[in-house]
Amino acid sequence: MTTSKIYQKMRKNARGQYLLLSFCAFLSVLLITAFALMYFGPTVQNFLPEGGDTRKMASLLLAATALGCFIFTLYASSMFFRYKSREYGILMALGLEKKNLRRLLFKELSVITAAASLAGLLCAMPVSYLIWKLFELFIISNEQMTYRFGAAGFLPGILFAACLALMLGLAARRFINKSDIMDILRTQHKTQMVKTVKGWILPVGIVLMFLGVALGSGLPQVAARVFKVNLPSAVNLFYLLTVMGIYLVLLSIVAQSRAGKNKEKYYKNLVSISLMRFTAKASTRNMCVIVLLIFVCCFASFYGMQYSLTPDLAKSDDFAFSLHYPALEKQIDQADVYRTAEKYDLKVEDFIQGQASNLVISYTATDISEDESRYVEKYYDQQKGALFLSASSYAAISGKKITVQEGTYKTVTSKDYKGFFDQVDGLDRVTNPDSGKSMKLAYGGSLEQNSLYAMSDPFAYVISDDDYSRMTRGLDQDYQENLIFFDVDDVERSYGFAKALLSQYVDRATARSNHMGYWDAWEEQQTQKAGKEYGYSDRIDMSMDNNLLLNDWKYAPGFQIIQLQDQMQLISVYVMLCLYICIIALAAVSVMTYVRSISVASDNKELFDSLEKLGADRAYRQKVLKRQLAKIFQYPTAIGCSLGFLFSLAMDISNDGRLAGTEFTALGILLGIIAAISAILFAVYRYALKRAQILIGI
């Protein structure tokens, strides 16, 4: 029999390993390319703001996707080389030289990688389209959300395939370059035991896991709010304590070697306990990766779901429609609103008009120091303007009678405001920009009104009628604004009406209102007087085709139904990306746990045969196998899901020191997702157990 025929026979016997490696490479390239095709497609790119945090996070998600795919392909390749060790040991014993083996192995890997990568690239486009259509069942589906192909998405897939080929080539070179035949033959049977694991390692590991999450997420907030210290990004290194804790906990579970107090139980399960100890290092590393991937799976799904939760318009007590625009601009009026509503068979309710004035403020706010090491209180003396209303005007708008003492002010905030940088009681003095008249004011409390809060930065303020009359006397109309608030009888079906009204509003907008969101007339004047360039002087492309109009325009109307619908389009894209990461991480975990389970069975087949010869019945051998596989699934799943929930909870609390209603809902959904992840991995466990039992003949 020739060497070629021997090699072909060996390859036929190891068909499963070739298929496994090919499948992992194919799946990795497929997932990366499908993700990239969606992400770099025109639809997603048009919705993600250029240079924004969302785009940065999406890029990180793409990197996390690549890392997850790379990890489970790398693991599959390690299993492949372990099985090849016996074949190559035999071939070397028959006299085949290393250079010939190297050529054979590289040829095989080249064919596998090229075929799997090409298949992955070709299948990526229909798969990405089907995934998009699947997500359309749960997200908004309209013309703007139509799937559009982006050829640039193939580049990450091709680059990933090249990196995969390079990785497999280096691993193959390392495998062939082993010192002698015995090293290759012993590759599949090497033990990786550790020294005796002390009893204190488990509790220390548990403490480190929780301590890392607590310090990493909570310490920056505590330092900022209590000690006014801005900690550097290096504080994120505290999360490494969690990784260390995971390793110690898993090492203690895998490599336990003491009988402890319950010696009878220990010796009764001695075979099951000792089996995993022989590969303690490899098992612990493998389970650590699984824990981290399950954590990524939980957190990515939570992060996406939290974005998808929006308030119920029917239960909102804010005005569904609000507008503010320069008083000198001829804009839509009450007649336009009622006429347009009639066309859409809607009834206008609680229509209110008012007026407000932009006055110059001197105030105190929390800011970052020049060296960015501390949070400091800074006093801003007449640097910008803010919107002021009289008490009677606010009462008419809110429908609530309020009392504002002369010489005091009330700050208008959003519902449940928990800001840190902007101080609700920071206003000190107000000045008329035309007359120069100034008045010192004292804080008199806060008022919650989302519509007004969104119209002025840092806040809108309410003062007494007499103070308002004195401070606005002689004020030019350039500093005054008209306000309109109203509701309709059926907000849920008012999208068409809102779009039509927005179109009229945009058409009538003039240069007076053509400003960016943070533009301030007084601030621009003072900056130009100082001979400096004003950063918010750019104009807005005011057209109905501008998707970001309502986010960038200072005088953008507050139409809740449009804001929620357009926001949901952006959120839907982001949710889709997050859930895609969840799916990829779960796929990686499923492949790794299954492969590990099969390797446990195949590596210990001789041991199970020996147990049978020693008189162990089928039930005992099945019990030993179940214990081995259960550890691979149970402990990583429990630790990964617990850390995913804990980290999500910590992130929500650290944002503003509390849990909002939507955050409670998101955490509840996360528990459901954790249950689903556990169910999927249990199904993988049952399938792996069945295959492992067949492999060892029980």
Side-chain angles (χ1 to χ4, degrees):
M1 184 178 288
T2 63
T3 303
S4 178
K5 289 186 177 181
I6 294 174
Y7 194 76
Q8 288 178 7
K9 188 174 181 62
M10 289 180 174
R11 184 188 300 162
K12 184 178 180 181
N13 291 334
R15 183 183 302 168
Q17 297 306 312
Y18 286 93
L19 290 175
L20 178 62
L21 182 59
S22 301
F23 172 75
C24 289
F26 163 76
L27 186 61
S28 296
V29 175
L30 172 65
L31 292 175
I32 290 295
T33 311
F35 182 92
L37 286 173
M38 290 189 293
Y39 176 60
F40 290 107
T43 302
V44 174
Q45 290 299 305
N46 288 341
F47 275 103
L48 297 182
E50 189 67 37
D53 291 338
T54 306
R55 189 179 289 270
K56 293 176 183 177
M57 182 60 73
S59 299
L60 288 175
L61 291 176
L62 178 60
T65 304
L67 181 61
C69 291
F70 194 83
I71 285 174
F72 82 80
T73 306
L74 180 64
Y75 184 74
S77 70
S78 68
M79 295 295 102
F80 175 79
F81 289 123
R82 281 173 64 84
Y83 279 94
K84 295 293 287 184
S85 62
R86 183 177 180 85
E87 298 176 14
Y88 278 53
I90 293 172
L91 292 173
M92 289 180 70
L94 292 174
L96 199 65
E97 296 182 358
K98 282 187 177 182
K99 63 179 181 179
N100 294 327
L101 286 175
R102 185 182 295 111
R103 186 170 60 254
L104 285 171
L105 185 57
F106 278 123
K107 181 180 178 181
E108 280 188 327
L109 292 176
S110 298
V111 172
I112 290 173
T113 307
S117 299
L118 182 60
L121 290 170
L122 292 176
C123 294
M125 189 171 177
V127 168
S128 66
Y129 176 78
L130 292 174
I131 292 175
W132 187 279
K133 287 299 180 183
L134 175 63
F135 279 115
E136 274 191 354
L137 298 175
F138 307 99
I139 63 179
I140 295 174
S141 179
N142 55 32
E143 292 182 2
Q144 290 182 309
M145 293 298 292
T146 302
Y147 177 85
R148 286 182 286 172
F149 170 72
F154 280 114
L155 295 178
I158 295 172
L159 180 61
F160 180 82
C163 293
L164 208 60
L166 179 62
M167 180 271 293
L168 290 174
L170 292 175
R173 181 182 179 86
R174 180 175 177 270
F175 172 72
I176 291 295
N177 287 341
K178 288 182 181 293
S179 58
D180 52 39
I181 296 176
M182 294 307 298
D183 281 340
I184 293 179
L185 286 172
R186 291 178 62 243
T187 297
Q188 193 173 345
H189 301 285
K190 280 185 177 180
T191 62
Q192 293 182 311
M193 297 182 66
V194 295
K195 296 180 180 179
T196 303
V197 176
K198 304 295 183 181
W200 55 265
I201 288 182
L202 179 60
V204 168
I206 294 174
V207 170
L208 286 178
M209 280 198 308
F210 290 101
L211 189 63
V213 173
L215 292 177
S217 61
L219 193 58
Q221 296 298 322
V222 173
R225 296 177 182 274
V226 179
F227 302 105
K228 306 296 183 183
V229 175
N230 180 36
L231 296 179
S233 57
V235 73
N236 291 321
L237 294 175
F238 279 116
Y239 288 120
L240 292 178
L241 294 177
T242 299
V243 178
M244 293 171 56
I246 293 171
Y247 183 81
L248 292 178
V249 168
L250 291 174
L251 184 64
S252 178
I253 292 171
V254 169
Q256 57 176 317
S257 57
R258 298 186 308 143
K261 295 181 180 180
N262 196 342
K263 295 183 179 181
E264 182 179 349
K265 181 180 179 181
Y266 175 80
Y267 288 113
K268 186 177 181 180
N269 299 295
L270 183 60
V271 174
S272 179
I273 292 172
S274 300
L275 265 180
M276 194 165 282
R277 286 188 62 222
F278 288 124
T279 56
K281 291 181 180 179
S283 297
T284 303
R285 288 195 298 267
N286 174 260
M287 292 166 75
C288 280
V289 173
I290 293 173
V291 168
L292 294 177
L293 286 173
I294 292 176
F295 166 79
V296 168
C297 186
C298 292
F299 184 68
S301 59
F302 168 77
Y303 204 64
M305 283 296 101
Q306 189 166 245
Y307 269 88
S308 69
L309 298 175
T310 57
D312 187 349
L313 289 177
K315 297 179 180 179
S316 175
D317 57 358
D318 289 318
F319 285 100
F321 297 85
S322 60
L323 305 95
H324 71 120
Y325 54 88
L328 291 175
E329 185 171 83
K330 185 174 177 56
Q331 263 295 351
I332 57 177
D333 55 18
Q334 185 173 3
D336 296 314
V337 172
Y338 276 82
R339 184 170 53 252
T340 307
E342 187 177 354
K343 291 180 180 179
Y344 287 87
D345 195 25
L346 292 171
K347 182 181 179 182
V348 177
E349 299 176 343
D350 301 325
F351 187 94
I352 299 170
Q353 288 180 294
Q355 194 173 63
S357 300
N358 284 285
L359 301 176
V360 179
I361 60 175
S362 299
Y363 64 104
T364 301
T366 302
D367 204 346
I368 196 78
S369 61
E370 292 184 2
D371 61 357
E372 299 186 351
S373 63
R374 298 187 64 83
Y375 292 99
V376 295
E377 289 190 352
K378 286 188 177 181
Y379 185 77
Y380 297 94
D381 187 18
Q382 297 187 14
Q383 287 192 13
K384 67 181 305 181
L387 209 59
F388 281 78
L389 291 84
S390 65
S392 57
S393 294
Y394 182 84
I397 292 170
S398 65
K400 300 176 182 177
K401 186 177 181 180
I402 64 168
T403 301
V404 183
Q405 300 294 328
E406 289 190 23
T408 67
Y409 69 92
K410 289 185 182 294
T411 305
V412 180
T413 69
S414 60
K415 298 290 177 66
D416 299 324
Y417 179 77
K418 296 289 183 180
F420 174 62
F421 283 93
D422 298 321
Q423 301 178 14
V424 294
D425 58 349
L427 181 61
D428 174 55
R429 187 177 295 275
V430 62
T431 303
N432 184 311
D434 285 325
S435 67
K437 183 177 180 180
S438 183
M439 175 186 291
K440 190 173 181 65
L441 295 173
Y443 178 64
S446 297
L447 303 167
E448 294 184 346
Q449 222 289 333
N450 286 342
S451 299
L452 276 173
Y453 169 73
M455 294 179 180
S456 181
D457 178 65
F459 300 101
Y461 300 97
V462 179
I463 55 179
S464 70
D465 288 2
D466 290 339
D467 286 343
Y468 184 83
S469 178
R470 281 194 294 270
M471 291 309 303
T472 57
R473 189 175 295 120
L475 183 67
D476 193 278
Q477 280 195 305
D478 285 333
Y479 290 100
Q480 295 178 355
E481 295 183 12
N482 290 333
L483 311 178
I484 295 178
F485 303 89
F486 65 92
D487 286 314
V488 293
D489 58 344
D490 191 348
V491 181
E492 298 290 350
R493 66 177 185 88
S494 65
Y495 187 78
F497 160 72
K499 277 290 188 182
L501 201 61
L502 175 61
S503 179
Q504 297 177 45
Y505 184 79
V506 171
D507 289 341
R508 297 189 188 186
T510 66
R512 293 184 181 277
S513 62
N514 191 358
H515 299 291
M516 295 181 65
Y518 288 106
W519 175 85
D520 180 80
W522 175 262
E523 191 174 40
E524 184 179 44
Q525 290 178 17
Q526 300 308 304
T527 303
Q528 291 175 349
K529 284 182 180 179
K532 299 178 181 178
E533 184 179 352
Y534 186 56
Y536 300 110
S537 61
D538 292 343
R539 301 292 180 171
I540 296 297
D541 178 20
M542 294 185 296
S543 70
M544 292 300 292
D545 295 329
N546 184 357
N547 290 330
L548 301 178
L549 178 67
L550 298 184
N551 293 327
D552 295 339
W553 189 15
K554 178 177 177 63
Y555 294 101
F559 295 172
Q560 284 189 8
I561 187 68
I562 291 181
Q563 290 173 337
L564 287 177
Q565 291 286 335
D566 290 352
Q567 184 184 19
M568 275 303 297
Q569 290 178 343
L570 173 61
I571 287 173
S572 296
V573 171
Y574 200 47
V575 168
M576 180 173 61
L577 297 177
C578 288
L579 293 183
Y580 196 75
I581 296 299
C582 175
I583 293 171
I584 289 175
L586 189 57
V589 169
S590 300
V591 171
M592 290 185 67
T593 49
Y594 173 78
V595 171
R596 187 65 185 175
S597 300
I598 297 303
S599 67
V600 166
S602 60
D603 290 349
N604 296 286
K605 187 177 185 306
E606 295 178 1
L607 185 143
F608 282 99
D609 291 340
S610 299
L611 288 175
E612 184 180 15
K613 293 176 182 178
L614 291 172
D617 58 10
R618 181 178 180 276
Y620 179 80
R621 286 178 288 140
Q622 192 174 46
K623 177 183 175 183
V624 171
L625 180 62
K626 281 185 176 180
R627 285 181 177 273
Q628 295 303 300
L629 302 194
K631 286 183 178 180
I632 296 172
F633 286 88
Q634 288 177 351
Y635 295 114
T637 302
I639 295 173
C641 290
S642 298
L643 285 177
F645 184 85
L646 178 65
F647 184 74
S648 302
L649 176 64
M651 289 294 290
D652 276 347
I653 294 176
S654 65
N655 283 336
D656 52 16
R658 66 193 177 97
L659 287 175
T662 54
E663 291 169 338
F664 273 112
T665 304
L667 289 171
I669 294 175
L670 178 59
L671 290 176
I673 291 172
I674 288 174
I677 292 171
S678 301
I680 291 171
L681 292 180
F682 179 75
V684 176
Y685 160 73
R686 295 296 301 176
Y687 180 74
L689 177 63
K690 183 178 179 180
R691 297 295 300 173
Q693 287 175 335
I694 294 173
L695 186 62
I696 62 177
I698 60 174

